[in-house]
């Protein structure tokens, strides 16, 4: 599932496109990074228990995501 | 428009062009992407279905991995489409406003924080570097240790030697990863450590010993790539991802 992987023992470097980005790397950034806004707003992930949410999603659906 | 709410992807300078319209990038839930400008800033947004993006619906949807993946990828595609035009501060996934007026108010009220965030990332990109412990493979050693011992003792000694070697291999990998992290941090404007990725999501069995993001300028990016390609690093396997929009360096908490 990985995008471009640059191994230090010598692989080619290819630029990743948006579609090739690994979901796990994206979730690191989208669930824990980015501007967090709270206040006059209907919902923000800042107000959600992230660990709980991501773990539940992960555990229930992991087979659909990870190809061994 | 009573049935829609406003999904926010990112904040940019007002001077930064919006996402390309020909062909247009679809946003989350297939919604068209547009901009809301106020002062010198602009928010990149979509109008989305109010029922599907209500607080209750989102809490449910966030437990649905296929939905999470589709939404995360759509969010990322919009951010990636805007990023080449100027500094972009991505907003955390699933940030939804009641209407445009509230988004304008946000841009005004938090203008100073957004400007500071955009100034920090101007001309810079984020790169991800992950490291895994490479399992050591020197089976001959345990045979030597156990030569001449009784079978039961020999088994225990072999097990202990294996355990010690695994622990040492892991510690060596942690040390190597820390050394890599220090070297890359020295050429980066900023760095941030993410928690190690869950093997169930990454699909990797080896132990992850580094999951870091670095904010670099152009020269820093070149130096970072050279460090990752360094063939002399032992005990870890490195993986580089990027360039990313600076997700890990625009965390503006508050108010």
């Amino acid at each position: 599932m990985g995008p471009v992987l640059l191994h230090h023992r010598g692989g080619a470097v290819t630029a990743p496109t948006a579609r090739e980005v690994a979901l796990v790397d994206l979730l690191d950034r989208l669930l824990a990074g980015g501007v967090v806004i709270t206040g006059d707003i209907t919902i923000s992930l800042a107000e959600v228990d992230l660990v709980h949410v991501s773990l539940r999603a992960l555990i229930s659906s992991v087979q659909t995501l990870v190809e061994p | 428009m009573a049935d829609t709410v406003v999904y926010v992807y990112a904040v940019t300078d007002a001077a930064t062009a919006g996402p390309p319209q020909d062909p247009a990038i679809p946003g989350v839930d297939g919604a068209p992407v547009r901009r809301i400008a106020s002062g010198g800033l602009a928010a990149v947004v979509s109008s989305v279905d109010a029922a599907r993006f209500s607080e209750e619906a989102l809490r449910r949807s966030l437990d649905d991995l296929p939905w999470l993946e589709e939404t995360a990828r759509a969010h990322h595609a919009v951010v990636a489409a805007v990023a080449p035009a100027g500094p972009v501060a991505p907003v955390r996934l699933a940030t939804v406003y009641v209407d445009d007026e509230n988004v304008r108010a946000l841009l005004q009220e938090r203008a100073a924080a957004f400007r500071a965030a955009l100034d920090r990332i101007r001309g810079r990109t984020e790169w991800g570097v992950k490291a895994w412990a490479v399992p050591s493979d020197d089976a001959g050693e345990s045979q030597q240790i156990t030569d001449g011992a009784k079978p039961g003792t020999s088994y225990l000694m072999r097990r202990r030697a294996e355990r010690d070697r695994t622990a040492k291999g892991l510690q060596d990998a942690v040390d190597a990863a820390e050394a890599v992290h220090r070297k890359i941090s020295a050429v980066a404007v900023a760095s941030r450590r993410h928690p190690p990725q869950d093997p169930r999501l990454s699909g990797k069995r080896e132990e992850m010993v580094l999951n870091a993001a670095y904010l670099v300028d152009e020269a820093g990016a070149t130096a970072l790539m050279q460090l990752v390609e360094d063939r002399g690093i032992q005990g870890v396997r490195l993986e580089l991802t990027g360039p990313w929009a600076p997700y890990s360096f625009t965390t503006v908490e508050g108010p």
Side-chain angles (χ1 to χ4, degrees), chain B residues 99-121:
Chain B
D99 57 22
D100 285 15
E101 208 38 61
N102 281 321
V103 176
R104 267 185 218 104
L106 162 81
L107 292 178
Q108 283 159 19
E109 285 160 17
R110 306 291 304 284
F114 286 132
R115 281 199 186 298
L118 291 171
D119 285 343
R120 191 163 62 239
I121 60 180

Side-chain angles (χ1 to χ4, degrees), chain B residues 26-252:
Chain B
V28 296
D29 214 24
V33 180
R34 60 194 174 87
R35 294 199 317 155
I36 299 172
S38 178
L41 297 167
V44 180
V45 306
S46 283
S47 292
V48 292
D49 184 90
R52 292 164 61 81
F53 284 80
S54 70
E55 177 162 353
E56 195 196 337
L58 277 175
R59 281 181 196 281
R60 242 189 347 261
S61 296
L62 288 166
D63 279 341
D64 174 357
L65 197 59
W67 181 94
L68 185 62
E69 171 156 20
E70 194 180 319
T71 306
R73 289 197 182 280
H75 186 116
H76 177 62
V78 171
V79 169
V82 177
V88 51
V91 171
R92 190 165 291 185
L93 192 74
T95 298
V96 180
Y97 273 73
V98 177
D99 57 22
D100 285 15
E101 208 38 61
N102 281 321
V103 176
R104 267 185 218 104
L106 162 81
L107 292 178
Q108 283 159 19
E109 285 160 17
R110 306 291 304 284
F114 286 132
R115 281 199 186 298
L118 291 171
D119 285 343
R120 191 163 62 239
I121 60 180
R122 203 175 299 275
R124 295 165 173 168
T125 51
E126 173 176 334
W127 293 79
V129 177
K130 296 174 286 181
W132 285 271
V134 176
S136 61
D137 188 25
D138 42 349
E141 203 180 310
S142 61
Q143 193 54 51
Q144 282 180 357
I145 293 171
T146 56
D147 276 353
K150 291 179 193 165
T153 315
S154 140
Y155 170 77
L156 289 175
M157 286 169 74
R158 217 164 38 234
R159 284 291 301 272
R160 184 178 305 159
E162 278 166 16
R163 202 176 56 225
D164 290 351
R165 203 164 50 242
T166 304
K168 184 178 180 307
L170 185 56
Q171 188 55 51
D172 288 350
V174 168
D175 293 346
E178 291 303 317
V180 168
H181 175 65
R182 277 195 303 276
K183 281 184 195 168
I184 298 178
S185 296
V187 301
V189 176
S191 66
R192 177 168 172 196
R193 307 277 292 257
H194 290 293
Q197 293 172 343
D198 192 305
R200 290 166 299 179
L201 263 184
S202 69
K204 301 259 180 16
R205 286 168 208 280
E206 301 127 314
E207 191 89 17
M208 182 177 265
V209 289
L210 179 69
N211 185 18
Y214 303 93
L215 184 67
V216 292
D217 57 22
E218 214 167 302
T222 307
L224 176 146
M225 279 182 254
Q226 278 166 356
L227 286 168
V228 172
E229 284 181 277
D230 180 357
R231 285 155 195 272
I233 302 168
Q234 299 293 321
V236 288
R237 187 168 56 79
L238 297 178
E239 187 181 304
L240 177 70
T241 61
W244 294 89
Y247 287 100
S248 304
F249 303 98
T250 48
T251 308
V252 179

